[in-house]
Amino acid sequence: MVTFALIAITVFVSWRAFNDRRLLDRLILWPPAIDRHRQYDRLVTHGFIHADAQHLLFNMITLFFFGRSIEPVFVDRIGHLGFAAFYLSAIVMAIMPTYFRHQRDAGYRSLGASGAVSAVLFSFILFAPWSLIFVFFLPVPAIVYAALYIGYSIWMDRRGGDNVNHSAHLWGAAYGVLFTVLMEPRVASTFVSRLLSPSFG
């Protein structure tokens, strides 16, 4: 239920912002607004708006498939509010390094749910490292996808120039792993055990 609610809210707010520049400007992560005007809500609200329909669709499809899979695990341990808190805190934690890096940069903007979605995805990978993820219709083991995703994000973060916040992807993934292990410490040993016993599906 939380996953569906997050998707519904994100789609609605993003759709509204597509046609309302003032709303977009108010919700987007703009570091000087946080530093000068104490608009700390932007650390969360930027995760509910997107650059375009393709950006929104990709994030929401990913959240739909992997959020539904791991939400029951979280709910059993920390409840529905706990899973919602995980997602919302992932939005914040994924963007913090970017915020500090661009704190004085009046020309910088960032938006999108990618950091939080990465947290959800990597939490799922901890529980099912050999599950098949379809990338451009090709089945790829989740752990292989994770390695490629991290490598690509590090490379592109250093290279820059494509207007994608790869740093948020990396920090979101790291936060998803850390939060999940702290919530359920046994997942670390289970992950290693499953990693050493490949079972595709």
Side-chain angles (χ1 to χ4, degrees), residues 20-39:
D20 188 341
R21 182 68 193 192
R22 289 181 61 186
L23 178 62
L24 181 72
D25 288 342
R26 179 56 187 85
L27 300 181
I28 201 167
L29 181 83
W30 184 47
I34 299 171
D35 186 50
R36 300 171 190 168
H37 306 297
R38 305 294 187 263
Q39 294 176 351

Side-chain angles (χ1 to χ4, degrees), residues 61-177:
I61 288 177
T62 305
L63 178 58
F64 174 77
F65 284 109
F66 299 105
R68 288 188 312 155
S69 296
I70 67 164
E71 181 178 339
V73 178
F74 278 69
V75 170
D76 284 346
R77 290 160 178 80
I78 58 177
H80 290 92
L81 289 178
F83 182 65
F86 162 63
Y87 184 86
L88 295 175
S89 62
I91 294 176
V92 177
M93 297 305 294
I95 203 64
M96 289 307 294
T98 299
Y99 166 66
F100 287 122
R101 187 191 310 173
H102 295 279
Q103 194 169 3
R104 310 296 183 188
D105 184 356
Y108 185 81
R109 305 284 194 282
S110 186
L111 77 174
S114 300
V117 171
S118 291
V120 170
L121 172 61
F122 274 74
S123 177
F124 169 85
I125 290 171
L126 277 181
F127 289 102
W130 293 107
S131 292
L132 296 178
I133 295 177
F134 286 85
V135 182
F136 300 113
F137 305 104
L138 296 175
V140 178
I143 190 62
V144 174
Y145 176 81
L148 294 173
Y149 183 92
I150 292 172
Y152 176 77
S153 295
I154 292 174
W155 178 60
M156 289 301 296
D157 186 49
R158 292 178 177 176
R159 179 184 178 187
D162 65 348
N163 294 320
V164 175
N165 191 348
H166 296 283
S167 171
H169 297 175
L170 289 167
W171 285 101
Y175 181 73
V177 170

